[in-house]
Amino acid sequence: MARKLIAGNWKMNLLRPEGTALARDLALRLARTVDPAFDLLVCPPATIIAPIADAVQGSGLLVGGQDCHSAQEGAHTGDVSARMLADLGCSHVIVGHSERRQDHGEIDLMVAEKAAAAQAEGLVAIICIGETEAERNDGRALQVCSRQIAGSLPQGATAENTVIAYEPVWAIGTGRTPTTADVAEVHAHIRAALGARVPSEAAGIRILYGGSVKPGNAAELLAVPNVDGALVGGASLKADDFWAIAEASAG
Ligand code: PEP
């Protein structure tokens, strides 16, 4: 299995000075680490990707987008394409985050199209899935995840161009997390759903856990079988916290 991927989703936070300082700080820590046991990725807002990508170039710190359009160019006012992200030096892009699904009405088909556009430009698509609290309470968490895998994974998904992020919607930004047994159950289920969809790739596709990952719970969440990394929101905005989470992935 590949090294764990620790990805930071900065969401709509940070301006150029503090964003660049945070990225530089992480890049420095990474550069000082001999053979790090993890891949480290930051996904800043689109407005500051360019200065950050320039500032950390060559350090090993990966930079990604938080969303992309399904078209590579054209009349889509305000949108950003995967080609534009690749042009800035991005290696990854998050697609189908639950905040996009909620705020922008993104459905599985749109997420699959965005992921396909990302992959066509050589980016790794981090495809987010996860149940709402009502769906979990109804006992439908596994069913929702299989449906989202079936609908959001594009044709041609491989272990190299695809990462899945399991993010229970009720755990995002709330300080609440599923039990490690629940995480293990869902991640095993996702692995099996990937096996049904892309049999030859399923074992190598990284499955991240996301939702209130903090330095204090990272080690136990990252030790769960089939957890190949973390997608981190709030705690990725502080270098010490994000780095502590990354270090916890080393076991
Ligand atoms: C996220 O938004 O992807 C996320 C996991 O947020 P947080 O870590 O703040 O719960």
Side-chain angles (χ1 to χ4, degrees):
M1 177 51 70
R3 300 192 300 182
K4 292 207 196 286
L5 172 64
I6 308 300
N9 173 13
W10 293 3
K11 309 194 188 195
M12 200 170 70
N13 293 297
L14 305 186
L15 300 177
R16 194 164 29 172
E18 60 265 34
T20 310
L22 173 56
R24 276 213 176 95
D25 185 332
L26 294 167
L28 204 62
R29 294 178 198 231
L30 201 56
R32 287 188 186 136
T33 308
V34 181
D35 196 15
F38 48 81
D39 293 327
L40 200 63
L41 167 72
V42 293
C43 299
T47 49
I48 57 171
I49 289 174
I52 286 174
D54 288 348
V56 306
Q57 204 177 11
S59 69
L61 180 66
L62 303 167
V63 180
Q66 298 176 12
D67 176 51
C68 67
H69 197 276
S70 55
Q72 305 301 15
E73 59 184 20
H76 303 289
T77 303
D79 278 313
V80 172
S81 75
R83 183 169 296 167
M84 292 167 173
L85 295 175
D87 180 49
L88 295 181
C90 288
S91 55
H92 291 67
V93 60
I94 299 168
V95 292
H97 190 282
S98 61
E99 288 154 14
R100 302 246 7 134
R101 290 179 187 258
Q102 276 169 0
D103 297 353
H104 299 270
E106 293 187 5
I107 57 170
D108 288 339
L109 178 63
M110 294 158 75
V111 176
E113 288 173 350
K114 287 171 180 235
Q119 292 163 352
E121 292 301 320
L123 300 179
V124 179
I126 302 177
I127 302 171
C128 299
I129 63 169
E131 81 284 358
T132 62
E133 185 152 34
E135 288 164 340
R136 172 153 287 267
N137 292 341
D138 284 355
R140 291 193 289 125
L142 299 182
Q143 191 190 325
V144 167
C145 288
S146 352
R147 194 199 65 221
Q148 290 180 329
I149 291 277
S152 308
L153 214 70
Q155 294 291 331
T158 68
E160 281 71 42
N161 67 19
T162 305
V163 170
I164 303 295
Y166 167 57
E167 299 206 306
V169 178
W170 53 272
I172 295 178
T174 61
R176 296 161 57 205
T177 55
T179 64
T180 50
D182 286 340
V183 173
E185 182 186 36
V186 177
H187 278 238
H189 182 80
I190 292 169
R191 185 77 67 205
L194 290 170
R197 186 69 204 279
V198 279
S200 61
E201 302 296 321
I205 293 181
R206 293 201 273 199
I207 307 173
L208 313 185
Y209 168 77
S212 295
V213 177
K214 310 281 178 213
N217 61 18
E220 66 169 0
L221 287 165
L222 286 161
V224 172
N226 287 303
V227 173
D228 306 313
L231 181 54
V232 185
S236 72
L237 296 172
K238 291 196 182 121
D240 285 346
D241 287 357
F242 192 49
W243 187 256
I245 292 168
E247 285 195 311
S249 74

